[in-house]
Amino acid sequence: MHLPFENTYARLPEKFFAALPPSPVEDPRPIAVNHALAKRLGLDCDALESAEGTAIFAGNLVPEGARPIAQAYAGHQFGGFVPQLGDGRAILLGELVAPDGARFDLTLKGAGRTPFSRGGDGRAWLGPVLREYVLSEAMAALGLPTTRALACVTTGQPVYRDGAQKPGAVIARLAASHIRVGTFEYFAARGDMDALATLCRYTLARHYPDGETARDLLAAVTAAQAKLVAGWMSVGFIHGVMNTDNCALSGETIDYGPCAFMDEYHPKKVFSSIDARGRYAYANQPQIALWNLAQLGSCLLPLMGEGEAAVEAAQAVLDGFAPTYQAAWLSRMGRKIGLAQATEDDLPLIESLLNRMATDAADFTRTFRGLSTGTARDEFTEPQAFDTWEPGWRARLEREADPAAVMAAANPVRIPRNHRVEDMIAAAVDGDFAPFHRLNAALAAPFTPDDSFADLEAAPSHDERVTRTFCGT
């Protein structure tokens, strides 16, 4: 089977990675191949679903042209700096080049120990693999930048988590790249200016070819992250672990560990079991993104000049985050209430609705979708909260040409509800992958009503609510 690999990252100096193959598994079996994504890459779906394809995705066969490596990086984790993290359970096989020239990293997550595993087994169990597959593909269908899932397989050998034996699995993940803020931190912490300069040039060439300087890189990444987080906020997504090693310079969502889409809205909502203090709560995500970018700015300072001038240049770039984010957020949230071009004058109307939703535990997705279907009022425990907001909104819509169409395009019918994801994982552990396939099918067209998926659109009952999500490590 031919895979169109290139290996530009693997041609960087050896200190950027550790070269090693994935570790073979006992009895790999296919779960899914993403046909739409495979076609985007110009790949043969039948070949990917063959025994050879399964062997590649499991790590049992290194395809021709691949140069498998584990990437080195550092990171701030919940505010504390760890000077060496790296790919502890992921192997980058190489870069696939699509027919249109677009370049994507192909990694195997759960592919075994690497020099960066820090005592771990380098494996993944089935639950986090399926969660990442479903949520990353749902994010892509919602139109937000994200890593993608090309395939996943079971390994036929168990892993041990929380004192229990669980089925092992591997996910084949695509990304525009896996360069992170933590990648720059790795070399900055070591005072390796040559490596920083090399990494800066490489990242500009790969992602922002119109840029030439470290300042250009910081500006481009700042804009990309501002727009990305505004997108998260508009769909009620909580990343859960916004460490700098999970902040991709490509501007994509990466690492679907303890993440979640909100059911009932509240700005302080936290799901991650490891976020005890709410550092990465829903409403904190913009300021955390800026904090992460400030760490990138610190790494790039030596490349931006000397002394106070470099600091001022970096700060000027970072000061652009807030207006870029606010403009993107206002545009997205305006469309969610039917405004094709929201302005600052519309901000009180949007914020008033959100405040009322928070007070009355209104479901985020169903409330916004219900604005165009006439059911938003039903999502409030005290409908009067909506009734007193609605007249002002109706009056504002009179200036819009087609608000119903704007809302229908901005508000999904379906999101990956946490309880449905957990149900899907439980079924898969018992050997039933039908819920996994059905959930993927439903989320592939999230804006399209479909009565056959009505159960997936419903908010959870009190007993069905999932209030904690867990890291897949």
Side-chain angles (χ1 to χ4, degrees), residues 349 352-357 360 362 367 370-371 374-395:
L349 184 65
S352 178
L353 176 59
L354 289 170
N355 290 336
R356 292 160 193 255
M357 290 168 60
D360 280 60
T367 297
L371 292 176
T375 59
R377 183 179 189 271
D378 300 339
E379 301 302 320
F380 289 78
T381 55
E382 296 292 338
Q384 186 179 3
F386 180 79
D387 294 342
T388 54
W389 177 82
E390 185 179 20
W393 172 60
R394 294 287 182 191

Short mmCIF file of all heavy atoms in Angstrom, two decimals, residues 349 352-357 360 362 367 370-371 374-395:
data_model
loop_
_atom_site.label_atom_id
_atom_site.label_comp_id
_atom_site.label_asym_id
_atom_site.label_seq_id
_atom_site.Cartn_x
_atom_site.Cartn_y
_atom_site.Cartn_z
N LEU A 349 -27.42 42.49 24.37
CA LEU A 349 -28.48 41.53 24.05
C LEU A 349 -27.97 40.09 24.19
O LEU A 349 -28.64 39.23 24.78
CB LEU A 349 -28.99 41.78 22.64
CG LEU A 349 -30.18 40.93 22.16
CD1 LEU A 349 -31.42 41.26 22.99
CD2 LEU A 349 -30.44 41.17 20.67
N SER A 352 -27.11 39.33 27.93
CA SER A 352 -28.31 39.18 28.74
C SER A 352 -28.89 37.77 28.59
O SER A 352 -29.31 37.15 29.58
CB SER A 352 -29.35 40.22 28.33
OG SER A 352 -30.55 40.06 29.07
N LEU A 353 -28.89 37.26 27.37
CA LEU A 353 -29.38 35.89 27.17
C LEU A 353 -28.50 34.89 27.91
O LEU A 353 -29.00 33.99 28.60
CB LEU A 353 -29.43 35.56 25.68
CG LEU A 353 -29.84 34.12 25.34
CD1 LEU A 353 -31.23 33.79 25.88
CD2 LEU A 353 -29.76 33.88 23.84
N LEU A 354 -27.19 35.03 27.78
CA LEU A 354 -26.29 34.10 28.45
C LEU A 354 -26.45 34.15 29.96
O LEU A 354 -26.44 33.11 30.64
CB LEU A 354 -24.85 34.41 28.07
CG LEU A 354 -24.44 34.07 26.63
CD1 LEU A 354 -23.07 34.64 26.31
CD2 LEU A 354 -24.46 32.56 26.39
N ASN A 355 -26.61 35.33 30.52
CA ASN A 355 -26.80 35.45 31.96
C ASN A 355 -28.07 34.75 32.41
O ASN A 355 -28.10 34.09 33.46
CB ASN A 355 -26.83 36.92 32.37
CG ASN A 355 -25.48 37.60 32.24
OD1 ASN A 355 -24.45 36.92 32.27
ND2 ASN A 355 -25.47 38.91 32.09
N ARG A 356 -29.12 34.89 31.64
CA ARG A 356 -30.38 34.24 31.98
C ARG A 356 -30.26 32.72 31.84
O ARG A 356 -30.82 31.97 32.65
CB ARG A 356 -31.50 34.78 31.09
CG ARG A 356 -31.84 36.24 31.36
CD ARG A 356 -32.57 36.89 30.18
NE ARG A 356 -32.60 38.33 30.34
CZ ARG A 356 -33.68 39.03 30.71
NH1 ARG A 356 -34.82 38.39 30.96
NH2 ARG A 356 -33.64 40.33 30.82
N MET A 357 -29.55 32.27 30.84
CA MET A 357 -29.32 30.84 30.67
C MET A 357 -28.55 30.27 31.85
O MET A 357 -28.86 29.17 32.35
CB MET A 357 -28.55 30.57 29.37
CG MET A 357 -29.35 30.83 28.10
SD MET A 357 -28.32 30.84 26.60
CE MET A 357 -27.64 29.18 26.63
N ASP A 360 -30.84 30.02 34.92
CA ASP A 360 -31.94 29.06 34.81
C ASP A 360 -31.51 27.69 34.29
O ASP A 360 -32.36 26.88 33.94
CB ASP A 360 -33.03 29.63 33.89
CG ASP A 360 -33.92 30.62 34.61
OD1 ASP A 360 -33.41 31.63 35.09
OD2 ASP A 360 -35.13 30.37 34.71
N ALA A 362 -30.29 26.64 31.55
CA ALA A 362 -30.77 26.32 30.21
C ALA A 362 -29.69 25.58 29.44
O ALA A 362 -28.50 25.89 29.54
CB ALA A 362 -31.15 27.61 29.48
N THR A 367 -30.98 25.63 23.59
CA THR A 367 -31.51 26.99 23.68
C THR A 367 -31.24 27.76 22.40
O THR A 367 -32.15 28.37 21.81
CB THR A 367 -30.91 27.74 24.88
OG1 THR A 367 -31.29 27.07 26.08
CG2 THR A 367 -31.42 29.18 24.93
N GLY A 370 -33.12 26.37 19.56
CA GLY A 370 -34.54 26.63 19.76
C GLY A 370 -34.97 28.04 19.42
O GLY A 370 -36.17 28.31 19.27
N LEU A 371 -34.02 28.96 19.27
CA LEU A 371 -34.39 30.31 18.86
C LEU A 371 -35.02 30.32 17.48
O LEU A 371 -35.91 31.12 17.19
CB LEU A 371 -33.15 31.22 18.88
CG LEU A 371 -32.55 31.54 20.25
CD1 LEU A 371 -31.28 32.37 20.08
CD2 LEU A 371 -33.56 32.26 21.14
N GLY A 374 -38.56 27.95 17.79
CA GLY A 374 -39.62 28.35 18.70
C GLY A 374 -39.66 27.56 19.99
O GLY A 374 -40.65 27.64 20.74
N THR A 375 -38.59 26.83 20.32
CA THR A 375 -38.59 25.99 21.52
C THR A 375 -37.60 26.46 22.58
O THR A 375 -37.43 25.80 23.60
CB THR A 375 -38.26 24.53 21.15
OG1 THR A 375 -36.97 24.49 20.52
CG2 THR A 375 -39.30 23.96 20.20
N ALA A 376 -36.92 27.58 22.35
CA ALA A 376 -35.90 28.04 23.31
C ALA A 376 -36.49 28.26 24.69
O ALA A 376 -35.86 27.95 25.71
CB ALA A 376 -35.25 29.32 22.80
N ARG A 377 -37.71 28.77 24.75
CA ARG A 377 -38.35 29.06 26.04
C ARG A 377 -38.44 27.82 26.91
O ARG A 377 -38.35 27.88 28.15
CB ARG A 377 -39.74 29.64 25.78
CG ARG A 377 -40.52 30.05 27.02
CD ARG A 377 -41.86 30.64 26.60
NE ARG A 377 -42.56 31.24 27.72
CZ ARG A 377 -43.39 30.60 28.53
NH1 ARG A 377 -43.62 29.28 28.32
NH2 ARG A 377 -43.99 31.22 29.52
N ASP A 378 -38.60 26.66 26.27
CA ASP A 378 -38.79 25.40 27.01
C ASP A 378 -37.54 24.99 27.77
O ASP A 378 -37.63 24.11 28.65
CB ASP A 378 -39.18 24.28 26.04
CG ASP A 378 -40.47 24.57 25.29
OD1 ASP A 378 -41.26 25.41 25.80
OD2 ASP A 378 -40.67 23.99 24.22
N GLU A 379 -36.40 25.56 27.46
CA GLU A 379 -35.16 25.17 28.09
C GLU A 379 -34.92 25.87 29.43
O GLU A 379 -33.96 25.54 30.13
CB GLU A 379 -33.98 25.45 27.16
CG GLU A 379 -34.05 24.74 25.81
CD GLU A 379 -34.14 23.23 25.95
OE1 GLU A 379 -33.44 22.67 26.83
OE2 GLU A 379 -34.94 22.62 25.21
N PHE A 380 -35.77 26.81 29.79
CA PHE A 380 -35.59 27.58 31.02
C PHE A 380 -36.45 27.02 32.15
O PHE A 380 -37.63 26.68 31.95
CB PHE A 380 -35.97 29.05 30.79
CG PHE A 380 -34.99 29.80 29.94
CD1 PHE A 380 -34.98 29.63 28.55
CD2 PHE A 380 -34.06 30.65 30.51
CE1 PHE A 380 -34.06 30.30 27.75
CE2 PHE A 380 -33.14 31.34 29.72
CZ PHE A 380 -33.14 31.16 28.34
N THR A 381 -35.86 26.90 33.32
CA THR A 381 -36.64 26.45 34.48
C THR A 381 -37.69 27.48 34.86
O THR A 381 -38.76 27.12 35.37
CB THR A 381 -35.71 26.19 35.68
OG1 THR A 381 -34.93 27.37 35.95
CG2 THR A 381 -34.77 25.03 35.39
N GLU A 382 -37.40 28.73 34.61
CA GLU A 382 -38.37 29.82 34.81
C GLU A 382 -38.54 30.52 33.47
O GLU A 382 -37.79 31.42 33.13
CB GLU A 382 -37.86 30.80 35.87
CG GLU A 382 -37.71 30.22 37.26
CD GLU A 382 -39.05 29.87 37.88
OE1 GLU A 382 -40.08 30.44 37.45
OE2 GLU A 382 -39.06 29.02 38.80
N PRO A 383 -39.53 30.11 32.68
CA PRO A 383 -39.69 30.66 31.32
C PRO A 383 -39.81 32.17 31.25
O PRO A 383 -39.52 32.77 30.21
CB PRO A 383 -40.97 29.98 30.82
CG PRO A 383 -41.06 28.72 31.60
CD PRO A 383 -40.52 29.06 32.95
N GLN A 384 -40.19 32.81 32.35
CA GLN A 384 -40.29 34.25 32.34
C GLN A 384 -38.95 34.90 32.04
O GLN A 384 -38.88 36.00 31.48
CB GLN A 384 -40.84 34.76 33.67
CG GLN A 384 -41.10 36.27 33.68
CD GLN A 384 -41.65 36.75 35.00
OE1 GLN A 384 -41.79 35.98 35.96
NE2 GLN A 384 -41.99 38.04 35.08
N ALA A 385 -37.86 34.23 32.40
CA ALA A 385 -36.53 34.76 32.11
C ALA A 385 -36.34 34.94 30.60
O ALA A 385 -35.73 35.92 30.15
CB ALA A 385 -35.46 33.85 32.67
N PHE A 386 -36.85 33.99 29.84
CA PHE A 386 -36.79 34.13 28.39
C PHE A 386 -37.82 35.13 27.89
O PHE A 386 -37.53 35.93 26.98
CB PHE A 386 -37.02 32.77 27.72
CG PHE A 386 -36.96 32.82 26.22
CD1 PHE A 386 -35.74 32.84 25.57
CD2 PHE A 386 -38.13 32.86 25.46
CE1 PHE A 386 -35.68 32.91 24.18
CE2 PHE A 386 -38.07 32.92 24.07
CZ PHE A 386 -36.84 32.94 23.43
N ASP A 387 -39.00 35.11 28.47
CA ASP A 387 -40.08 35.99 28.01
C ASP A 387 -39.70 37.46 28.10
O ASP A 387 -40.09 38.25 27.23
CB ASP A 387 -41.34 35.74 28.82
CG ASP A 387 -41.92 34.35 28.60
OD1 ASP A 387 -41.56 33.71 27.59
OD2 ASP A 387 -42.72 33.88 29.45
N THR A 388 -38.97 37.85 29.11
CA THR A 388 -38.59 39.25 29.27
C THR A 388 -37.41 39.63 28.38
O THR A 388 -37.15 40.83 28.18
CB THR A 388 -38.25 39.56 30.74
OG1 THR A 388 -37.24 38.65 31.20
CG2 THR A 388 -39.49 39.43 31.61
N TRP A 389 -36.71 38.66 27.86
CA TRP A 389 -35.60 38.92 26.91
C TRP A 389 -36.10 38.95 25.48
O TRP A 389 -35.59 39.73 24.64
CB TRP A 389 -34.53 37.84 27.06
CG TRP A 389 -33.39 37.97 26.10
CD1 TRP A 389 -32.29 38.78 26.21
CD2 TRP A 389 -33.23 37.26 24.85
NE1 TRP A 389 -31.46 38.63 25.12
CE2 TRP A 389 -32.01 37.70 24.27
CE3 TRP A 389 -34.00 36.31 24.17
CZ2 TRP A 389 -31.55 37.22 23.05
CZ3 TRP A 389 -33.55 35.83 22.95
CH2 TRP A 389 -32.33 36.27 22.39
N GLU A 390 -37.08 38.15 25.17
CA GLU A 390 -37.50 37.93 23.79
C GLU A 390 -37.95 39.19 23.04
O GLU A 390 -37.57 39.37 21.87
CB GLU A 390 -38.61 36.87 23.74
CG GLU A 390 -39.02 36.49 22.34
CD GLU A 390 -40.10 35.42 22.31
OE1 GLU A 390 -40.79 35.23 23.33
OE2 GLU A 390 -40.23 34.77 21.26
N PRO A 391 -38.72 40.10 23.63
CA PRO A 391 -39.17 41.26 22.85
C PRO A 391 -38.03 42.10 22.27
O PRO A 391 -38.10 42.53 21.11
CB PRO A 391 -40.01 42.06 23.86
CG PRO A 391 -40.49 41.04 24.83
CD PRO A 391 -39.36 40.07 24.96
N GLY A 392 -37.01 42.33 23.05
CA GLY A 392 -35.86 43.09 22.55
C GLY A 392 -35.17 42.38 21.41
O GLY A 392 -34.70 43.01 20.45
N TRP A 393 -35.07 41.08 21.54
CA TRP A 393 -34.47 40.28 20.46
C TRP A 393 -35.31 40.35 19.20
O TRP A 393 -34.78 40.55 18.10
CB TRP A 393 -34.32 38.85 20.96
CG TRP A 393 -33.90 37.85 19.92
CD1 TRP A 393 -32.75 37.88 19.19
CD2 TRP A 393 -34.63 36.70 19.50
NE1 TRP A 393 -32.70 36.79 18.34
CE2 TRP A 393 -33.84 36.05 18.52
CE3 TRP A 393 -35.85 36.14 19.87
CZ2 TRP A 393 -34.26 34.87 17.89
CZ3 TRP A 393 -36.26 34.96 19.26
CH2 TRP A 393 -35.47 34.35 18.28
N ARG A 394 -36.62 40.18 19.33
CA ARG A 394 -37.50 40.25 18.16
C ARG A 394 -37.39 41.60 17.47
O ARG A 394 -37.38 41.68 16.23
CB ARG A 394 -38.95 40.00 18.59
CG ARG A 394 -39.23 38.61 19.12
CD ARG A 394 -39.26 37.58 18.03
NE ARG A 394 -39.59 36.24 18.55
CZ ARG A 394 -39.47 35.13 17.82
NH1 ARG A 394 -39.03 35.19 16.57
NH2 ARG A 394 -39.77 33.96 18.35
N ALA A 395 -37.32 42.65 18.26
CA ALA A 395 -37.20 43.98 17.67
C ALA A 395 -35.89 44.11 16.90
O ALA A 395 -35.86 44.71 15.80
CB ALA A 395 -37.27 45.04 18.77
#
